[in-house]
């Protein structure tokens, strides 16, 4: 039986090639994902570890601020720093060879066109520490060109940014920390293993006094790093450093820092790996249908052969085993080939990251044991499991079938059982989805919605044989146009509902996911645009690029501009309201009504002055307030007062909370800053107005001037990026689905060789045969496309119900144009998949085909 199984594999090479390709693609996606994420993770980890080569111990400030702490706090003055005296004590420790003080903060660097380089807090500034005598080198930043900065108007920039932007030693660069624009001369270009730079950020180095003046105070540091003297271990140096630590500061060994950084990188990469593996699973899930379909048809074509084996003494287990051996061989070959293809995919993905502007540290391609084991196990196990059901059917072929070549057709009872099971699953899935869509709270709704979607998808798959007849019948008027070929194509499409269902389901799953995500992304984007349009009358909002607070100078400069008609800041100040801490939002009472367009439940902006406030409806409901209610408040500076509610408005994610006049709030703030400033110009939004405002800000790269469209696009770009990634990843599932359609049609042509020969004999020409096969493929693909788009819209609607709980302006938007494109894509898939089978059918010799058994 083993020899028989191997003979069958080699005897049907063309028929099994599609199965091998289906498994290969799924395995390649899994192995490629694992290789890619392992390679990137390893590169970042090794780069990070290299960055700690000269760090045996780090003394961190009580606030935890430092080089890796991210964006500066809202109130830098509240952070505790490390003193120069502590640096001197650390340098004097017996186990210290060298002590280096670090101070860092946000630094917006402009390119040669004046635009911000990098993104947000990844645009960082720091200090170059040449040692106590001022003549040494900072081992963290080896110079590639030029020299270290020595004067207040000099900087050095990282080599990656210099190459990307086109900066050279001697150029003048414009930058800003949190105030005026600085014009600094570039005197050096340095190399660095900083993770933020590797991720596409920038690093600008000042001399130490200048960095301290910009990011802290003279003589203060965020972090002190120590290099151990020869013969001193990191733990010994840590024990020595504990004796000099100020209250709240802590000493961390270089090994611990590297381990923590490595753990952080692994966690950040795990999300990407999980997302990619999900899509690999989708491809494999689609591939399972194709594999099962292929083996089902192979078994059906070998009915006589299997029956003869039974007749000459082979048992059911032997027949089952022979089919599973075939699957094992196919799976093993496909798994090995898929692993090789996956390594290539991993290398290609890494290369593509560079082309899309993402910088990755140098490092070898990592193919670890996990990738090899997962690929082999996936390919072999999936193929064998998918072939198990056809193998069982093969074992049930009665020996008498050898006498007449008739295989028992599916019984009515089996179809009833299948339809009943499918109806139950589809009903249960629909009920769970509807329940999840109606549950209050996003966390509570995720589980029933996810489980319901999976159950409904499986239920529809089980029901597709039943659904195929009525849905394909809708295409009858269209197919009549093609005469006999169209009629035959429709009959062939519904002749074997199970095979049609398995073929269409592969395309259905891919289109379900892509349609659902498109519906959600389009609806969210419109909701954000509606929120910005409905709630803001302001033409522009002004904010910092790294989302840190704006200096009050910005507000004053805008008020002095001839183009500006009205200005109001949005300030945030923590306060004690009753038994809870709330944030008071400071706005200008006299101008806020001309800058916002929020509907009021009661009262209005007119009463916003003195001790009068307005609150959003949700806060008012939670606190039990209404117009006229009063409540006690303890301000940020500790002073107490009493405020009165003069109005209740409909808030949203952009504007909500307790609004108070800036004249009332400012005296109680420790540091008067704004999160953003709303601006209304005399001539409305336009290119000249925006340029005028940017000029009023000194063309500061740290300050963003955005109109309503810019605001909505900046929020929605995350969804757009996710959607584009989804389109790319699901292309793999579509490719697998194409192979499935090709496979089905090719085997269908083989099964119908005699029938095709008869059609040729009675007058149907080769062109008519080709048209028949193509139309059959088109109908099956459109059937899968209609099911997929319908399910995708339903899932998108259900998910939107949950999103609408947190996004008040959310409404369902059906992307008719894109859904039309998806349906057209399904038609294209069908036509392309039919090219080879149609050509093969047309080339059949009619006499040889008629003689086929």
């Amino acid at each position: 039986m083993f020899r028989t199984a191997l003979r069958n594999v080699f005897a049907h090479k063309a028929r099994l090639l599609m199965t091998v390709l289906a498994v290969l693609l799924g395995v390649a996606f899994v192995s490629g994902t694992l290789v890619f994420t392992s390679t990137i993770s390893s590169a970042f980890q090794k780069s990070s570890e290299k960055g700690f080569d000269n760090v045996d111990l780090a003394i961190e400030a009580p606030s935890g601020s430092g080089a890796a702490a991210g964006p500066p706090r809202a109130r830098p003055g509240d952070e505790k720093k490390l003193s120069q005296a502590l640096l001197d004590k650390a340098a004097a420790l017996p186990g210290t060879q060298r002590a280096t003080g670090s101070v860092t903060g946000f630094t917006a660097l402009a390119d040669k066109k004046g635009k911000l380089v990098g993104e947000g807090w990844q645009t960082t500034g720091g200090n170059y520490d040449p040692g106590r005598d001022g003549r040494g080198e900072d081992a963290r930043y080896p110079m590639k060109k030029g020299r270290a900065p020595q004067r207040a108007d000099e900087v050095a920039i990282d080599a990656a940014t210099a190459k990307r932007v086109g900066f050279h030693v001697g150029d003048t660069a414009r930058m800003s920390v949190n105030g005026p624009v600085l014009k600094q001369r570039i005197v050096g270009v340095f190399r660095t293993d900083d993770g933020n730079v590797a991720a596409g950020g920038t690093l600008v180095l000042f001399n130490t006094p200048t960095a301290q003046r910009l990011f802290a105070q003279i003589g203060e540091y965020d972090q002190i790093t120590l290099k151990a003297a020869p013969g001193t271990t990191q733990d010994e140096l840590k024990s020595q450093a504990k004796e000099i630590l100020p209250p709240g500061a802590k000493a961390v060994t270089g090994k611990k820092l590297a381990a923590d950084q490595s753990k952080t990188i692994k966690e950040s990469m795990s999300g990407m790996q999980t997302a990619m593996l999900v899509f690999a699973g989708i491809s494999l899930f689609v591939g399972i249908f194709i594999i099962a379909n292929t083996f089902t048809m192979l078994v059906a074509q070998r009915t006589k052969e299997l029956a003869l084996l039974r007749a000459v003494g082979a048992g059911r287990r032997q027949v089952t085993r022979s089919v599973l051996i075939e699957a094992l061989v196919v799976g093993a070959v496909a798994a090995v080939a898929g692993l090789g293809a996956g390594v290539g995919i991993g290398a290609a993905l890494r290369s593509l990251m560079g082309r899309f502007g993402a910088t990755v540290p140098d490092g070898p391609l990592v193919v670890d044991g996990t990738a090899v084991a997962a690929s082999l196990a996936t390919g072999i196990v999936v193929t064998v499991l998918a072939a198990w059901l056809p193998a069982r059917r093969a074992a049930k072929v009665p020996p008498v079938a050898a006498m007449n070549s008739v295989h028992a057709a599916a019984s009515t009872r089996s179809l009833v059982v299948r339809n009943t099971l499918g109806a139950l699953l589809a009903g249960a899935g629909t009920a769970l989805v509807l329940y999840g869509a109606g549950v209050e709270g996003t966390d509570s709704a995720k589980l029933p919605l996810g489980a319901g979607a999976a159950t409904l998808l499986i239920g529809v798959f089980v029901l597709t044989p039943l659904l195929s007849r009525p849905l394909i019948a809708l295409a009858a008027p269209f197919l009549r146009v093609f005469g006999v070929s169209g009629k035959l194509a429709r009959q062939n499409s519904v002749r074997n509902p199970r095979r049609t269902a398995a073929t269409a389901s592969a395309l259905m799953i891919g289109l379900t996911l892509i349609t659902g995500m498109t519906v959600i992304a389009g609806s969210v984007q419109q909701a954000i645009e509606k929120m910005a349009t409905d709630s803001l009358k302001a033409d522009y909002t002004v904010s910092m690029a790294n989302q840190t607070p704006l200096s009050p100078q910005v507000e004053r400069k805008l008020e002095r501009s001839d183009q500006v008609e009205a200005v109001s800041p949005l300030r945030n100040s923590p306060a004690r309201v009753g038994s809870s801490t709330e944030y008071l939002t400071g706005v200008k009472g006299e101008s806020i009504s001309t800058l916002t367009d929020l509907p009021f439940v009661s009262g209005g902006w007119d009463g916003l002055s003195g001790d009068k406030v307005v609150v959003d409806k949700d806060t008012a409901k939670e606190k039990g307030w209404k117009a006229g209610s009063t409540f006690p408040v303890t301000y940020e500076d500790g002073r107490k007062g009493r405020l009165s509610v003069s109005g209740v408005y409909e808030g949203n994610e952009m504007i909500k909370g307790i609004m108070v006049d800036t004249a009332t709030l400012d005296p109680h703030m420790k540091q008067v800053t704004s999160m953003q400033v709303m601006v209304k110009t005399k001539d409305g939004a336009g290119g000249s107005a925006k340029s005028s405002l940017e000029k009023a800000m000194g063309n500061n790269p740290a300050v963003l001037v955005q109109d309503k469209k810019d605001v909505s696009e900046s929020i929605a770009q995350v969804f757009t990026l996710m959607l584009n990634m989804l389109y790319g990843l699901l292309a793999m599932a579509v490719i697998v689905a194409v192979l499935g359609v090709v496979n089905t049609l090719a085997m269908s042509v083989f099964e119908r060789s005699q029938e095709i020969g008869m059609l040729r004999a009675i007058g149907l020409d080769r062109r008519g045969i080709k048209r028949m096969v193509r139309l059959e493929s088109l109908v099956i693909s459109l059937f899968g496309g209609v099911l997929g788009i319908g399910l995708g819209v339903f899932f998108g609607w259900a998910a939107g119900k949950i999103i609408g709980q947190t996004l008040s302006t959310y409404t369902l938007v059906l992307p008719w144009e894109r859904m039309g494109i998806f349906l057209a894509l399904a038609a294209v898939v069908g036509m392309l998949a039919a090219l080879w089978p149609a050509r093969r059918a047309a080339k059949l010799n009619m006499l040889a085909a008629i003689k086929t058994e």
Side-chain angles (χ1 to χ4, degrees), residues 1-243:
M1 294 302 295
F2 181 74
R3 287 197 300 270
T4 302
L6 290 179
R7 183 184 63 78
N8 282 322
V9 170
F10 293 113
H12 305 114
K13 292 187 288 289
R15 280 180 267 168
L16 289 173
L17 178 62
M18 296 300 175
T19 309
V20 171
L21 286 174
V23 181
L24 185 151
L25 281 173
V27 172
F29 205 179
V30 171
S31 60
T33 296
L34 293 172
V35 169
F36 170 68
T37 51
S38 297
T39 298
I40 299 300
S41 181
S42 174
F44 276 109
Q45 286 176 33
K46 288 181 179 178
S47 173
S48 173
E49 290 168 2
K50 188 178 178 183
F52 291 109
D53 283 348
N54 294 301
V55 178
D56 290 311
L57 189 74
I59 300 175
E60 296 182 345
S63 64
S65 62
R73 291 182 169 194
R75 304 186 186 286
D78 292 343
E79 294 183 353
K80 295 180 181 179
K81 303 289 184 180
L82 303 175
S83 66
Q84 181 67 44
L86 179 62
L87 177 60
D88 294 337
K89 289 180 183 179
L93 290 173
T96 300
Q97 180 180 347
R98 175 185 169 91
T100 303
S102 307
V103 58
T104 60
F106 169 69
T107 301
L109 175 67
D111 61 17
K112 292 187 175 182
K113 295 181 179 179
K115 301 299 182 182
L116 179 68
V117 181
E119 293 185 10
W121 61 270
Q122 289 182 331
T123 54
T124 311
N127 68 307
Y128 185 94
D129 187 350
R132 298 182 72 175
D133 59 1
R135 297 181 180 179
E137 293 183 354
D138 193 331
R140 301 172 299 173
Y141 311 116
M143 284 293 160
K144 182 179 179 182
K145 295 178 183 177
R147 60 173 175 83
Q150 297 171 354
R151 298 170 48 183
D153 62 346
E154 295 178 345
V155 294
I157 63 173
D158 66 272
T161 300
K163 182 179 179 181
R164 186 165 74 245
V165 179
F167 280 138
H168 302 281
V169 173
D171 289 348
T172 298
R174 297 175 69 257
M175 61 195 69
S176 176
V177 175
N178 58 3
V181 175
L182 305 175
K183 293 184 179 180
Q184 305 288 109
R185 189 164 65 92
I186 299 172
V187 296
V189 175
F190 60 90
R191 297 185 182 90
T192 178
D193 295 310
D194 187 283
N196 289 334
V197 173
T202 65
L203 179 59
V204 179
L205 297 182
F206 303 85
N207 65 12
T208 297
T210 303
Q212 289 176 331
R213 177 173 55 82
L214 292 171
F215 306 126
Q217 299 291 333
I218 296 297
E220 291 185 345
Y221 299 95
D222 298 326
Q223 188 182 70
I224 295 173
T225 57
L226 308 180
K227 177 69 176 175
T232 304
T233 66
Q234 292 187 357
D235 290 332
E236 289 172 348
L237 186 58
K238 181 177 180 180
S239 298
Q240 294 175 16
K242 283 183 177 179
E243 302 296 328

Side-chain angles (χ1 to χ4, degrees), residues 10 51 67 74 84 204 261 484 503 588 595 607 629 675 711 713 718 754 800 832 849:
F10 293 113
Q84 181 67 44
V204 179
Q261 186 89 335
V484 175
T503 306
K588 278 199 170 181
L595 296 165
S629 299
M675 293 311 297
V711 172
E713 284 181 354
V718 178
Q754 189 179 56
L832 290 176

Side-chain angles (χ1 to χ4, degrees), residues 408-446:
S411 65
T412 305
R413 180 175 175 273
S414 68
L415 291 174
V416 171
V417 170
R418 175 169 181 152
N419 293 338
T420 303
L421 179 62
L424 290 173
L425 287 171
T430 304
L432 279 172
V433 169
L434 293 175
Y435 172 74
V439 170
E440 290 290 334
T442 55
D443 292 335
S444 304
K446 286 178 182 178

Side-chain angles (χ1 to χ4, degrees), residues 451-762:
T455 305
L456 177 56
L457 202 60
I458 294 170
V460 171
F461 167 69
V462 175
L463 279 176
T464 40
L466 180 66
L467 297 173
S468 63
R469 287 184 178 276
L471 288 179
I472 290 176
L474 296 175
F478 165 75
L479 294 174
R480 286 197 193 101
V481 176
F482 298 95
V484 175
S485 296
K487 183 177 181 181
L488 290 170
R490 185 181 66 81
Q491 291 175 347
N492 289 334
S493 301
V494 296
R495 177 186 294 182
N496 191 333
R498 296 189 183 199
R499 186 171 64 204
T500 298
T503 306
S505 295
L507 201 57
M508 177 191 77
I509 294 169
L511 285 178
T512 296
L513 293 168
I514 204 170
T515 303
M517 285 300 296
T518 302
V519 168
I520 293 169
S523 300
V524 168
Q525 189 160 356
Q526 179 167 301
I528 294 168
E529 291 175 0
K530 189 174 188 296
M531 186 190 304
T533 303
D534 291 353
S535 62
L536 289 179
K537 287 183 184 176
D539 297 314
Y540 296 98
T541 61
V542 180
S543 61
M544 289 289 285
N546 66 332
Q547 303 305 311
T548 53
L550 282 165
S551 165
Q553 294 177 1
V554 171
E555 183 185 338
R556 289 193 286 269
K557 284 183 179 180
L558 289 169
E559 287 176 332
R560 290 196 295 267
S561 174
D562 296 336
Q563 287 284 334
V564 174
E565 185 177 281
V567 170
S568 175
L570 283 177
R571 312 203 204 283
N572 274 338
S573 176
R576 195 74 179 168
V577 177
S579 59
S580 62
T581 299
E582 303 285 347
Y583 273 87
L584 302 179
T585 301
V587 296
K588 278 199 170 181
E590 68 268 20
S591 60
I592 188 65
S593 61
T594 62
L595 296 165
T596 60
D597 191 17
L598 296 169
F600 272 77
V601 177
S602 60
W605 291 117
D606 296 339
L608 187 61
S609 62
D611 62 353
K612 301 290 180 65
V613 300
V614 297
V615 299
D616 67 279
K617 187 174 70 172
D618 292 340
T619 301
K621 184 179 179 181
E622 179 187 344
K623 301 290 186 183
W625 295 339
K626 58 183 179 180
S629 299
T630 61
F631 57 91
V633 60
T634 303
Y635 293 102
E636 186 179 352
D637 61 357
R639 295 181 186 177
K640 296 183 178 181
R642 198 163 189 86
L643 298 174
S644 173
V645 178
S646 64
V648 178
Y649 65 92
E650 294 274 2
N652 57 45
E653 284 65 31
M654 293 183 69
I655 302 177
K656 61 182 177 181
I658 304 171
M659 302 283 188
V660 59
D661 190 22
T662 51
T664 302
L665 184 64
D666 288 359
H668 298 289
M669 295 180 69
K670 291 182 180 179
Q671 187 176 358
V672 177
T673 57
S674 304
M675 293 311 297
Q676 69 177 32
V677 177
M678 295 181 289
V679 182
K680 190 170 183 62
T681 57
K682 293 178 181 178
D683 299 327
S688 59
K690 186 175 183 178
S691 298
S692 177
L693 293 180
E694 289 176 338
K695 188 175 180 180
M697 298 293 98
N699 291 318
N700 194 325
V703 178
L704 291 180
V705 179
Q706 297 177 301
D707 58 19
K708 295 175 185 178
K709 185 178 179 181
D710 294 331
V711 172
S712 62
E713 284 181 354
S714 65
I715 299 172
Q717 67 182 357
V718 178
F719 298 96
T720 304
L721 178 63
M722 287 174 58
L723 194 60
N724 289 337
M725 286 181 64
L726 185 72
Y727 288 158
L729 291 170
L730 286 179
M732 186 69 74
V734 173
I735 292 172
V736 176
V738 171
L739 288 175
V741 179
V742 174
N743 207 7
T744 300
L745 290 174
M747 294 193 173
S748 176
V749 167
F750 179 82
E751 283 181 353
R752 304 203 310 263
S753 295
Q754 189 179 56
E755 176 187 317
I756 292 171
M758 289 295 295
L759 289 172
R760 289 290 314 283
I762 61 175

